[in-house]
Amino acid sequence: EAGVAQSPRYKIIEKRQSVAFWCNPISGHATLYWYQQILGQGPKLLIQFQNNGVVDDSQLPKDRFSAERLKGVDSTLKIQPAKLEDSAVYLCASSLSSYEQYFGPGTRLTVT
Amino acid sequence: AQSVTQLGSHVSVSEGALVLLRCNYSSSVPPYLFWYVQYPNQGLQLLLKYTSAATLVKGINGFEAEFKKSETSFHLTKPSAHMSDAAEYFCAVSAPNDYKLSFGAGTTVTVRA
């Protein structure tokens, strides 16, 4: 079974630029999560989707971050404009309505 | 609300020695607890989980953890470390019927030959 796919794996941008990350979850997984992992910290949940609806986005900085999951499959996370403190690894995970979340390899973002 | 604290950001062990990673939780409801491992440049992989069944949980790669309510702990152990165990380990907690995970800051394990 194919795992969670993410692209790009690495991205370097200047502050105030915009960036987008893409996630393709495991086939059939209804729940999709985006996490932010800052160096030296554990992952922090940004947003959770159930199919194409948002379940929880309470920790998403909505003034600059947005996410969508069209058709309940792939998802895109966007940052506009980026700040230096957005430098982190962005992890996507999916689950089949269970406690076991399957994580992708992440996208490492560096904002200069 | 649920949270976890991992004691020790770095642990160094000799190959063949016991691995002990500490995790204490805080939860207003009976928690579900998890240990994840992250190898360099990879995503997180579930090692084991406690979801209110047996308090001693066995996971992959020879790891196990014991839920101790009186100590609010969920420490991870492995009797004999291998070089391949070098990675970062995260403890996480969620509430029953809530799939959202709250992670600790992680513990990096290095294994000495």
Side-chain angles (χ1 to χ4, degrees):
Chain A
E1 152 181 283
V4 176
Q6 291 188 247
S7 68
R9 291 295 312 276
Y10 304 91
K11 189 74 176 178
I12 301 174
I13 62 172
E14 296 182 352
K15 60 184 179 183
R16 290 187 289 273
Q17 286 186 322
S18 63
V19 65
F21 313 127
W22 173 80
C23 173
N24 184 24
I26 293 173
S27 178
H29 281 196
T31 310
L32 185 147
Y33 310 80
W34 281 103
Y35 290 87
Q36 181 191 57
Q37 185 178 15
I38 293 173
L39 186 64
Q41 300 181 19
K44 182 185 82 171
L45 180 68
L46 292 175
I47 189 167
Q48 176 187 352
F49 291 94
Q50 180 74 20
N51 296 310
N52 61 351
V54 175
V55 174
D56 184 351
D57 63 357
S58 58
Q59 298 199 79
L60 187 74
K62 298 180 188 63
D63 58 334
R64 298 185 299 107
F65 285 65
S66 64
E68 61 182 8
R69 190 183 185 196
L70 299 177
K71 299 181 182 179
V73 182
D74 294 6
S75 178
T76 303
L77 177 70
K78 297 179 181 177
I79 307 175
Q80 182 179 11
K83 294 185 176 181
L84 295 177
E85 58 261 36
D86 297 333
S87 294
V89 176
Y90 291 85
L91 294 166
C92 179
S94 68
S95 68
L96 187 62
S97 298
S98 74
Y99 290 98
E100 183 159 0
Q101 296 184 22
Y102 293 83
F103 285 80
T107 296
R108 183 177 299 276
L109 173 66
T110 302
V111 182
T112 64
Chain B
Q2 292 76 39
S3 66
V4 292
T5 301
Q6 292 184 241
L7 302 176
S9 59
H10 290 88
V11 169
S12 180
V13 298
S14 298
E15 194 173 18
L18 171 72
V19 179
L20 170 61
L21 305 182
R22 300 179 187 274
C23 173
N24 288 90
Y25 69 89
S26 173
S27 179
S28 55
V29 298
Y32 285 6
L33 293 156
F34 308 81
W35 277 100
Y36 282 83
V37 61
Q38 187 176 33
Y39 298 102
N41 298 315
Q42 295 186 27
L44 281 72
Q45 179 183 7
L46 181 67
L47 276 177
L48 49 80
K49 62 181 183 285
Y50 165 77
T51 55
S52 75
T55 56
L56 182 62
V57 181
K58 294 186 183 299
I60 62 172
N61 301 337
F63 285 93
E64 64 180 36
E66 186 171 10
F67 172 71
K68 291 188 177 181
K69 183 178 179 181
S70 61
E71 299 177 8
T72 62
S73 69
F74 190 58
H75 301 332
L76 181 71
T77 60
K78 181 173 181 178
S80 176
H82 294 165
M83 298 299 290
S84 60
D85 295 326
E88 189 158 22
Y89 293 79
F90 293 93
C91 182
V93 63
S94 73
N97 301 319
D98 181 351
Y99 300 149
K100 294 192 293 290
L101 296 172
S102 294
F103 285 89
T107 298
T108 300
V109 172
T110 57
V111 182
R112 306 185 303 271

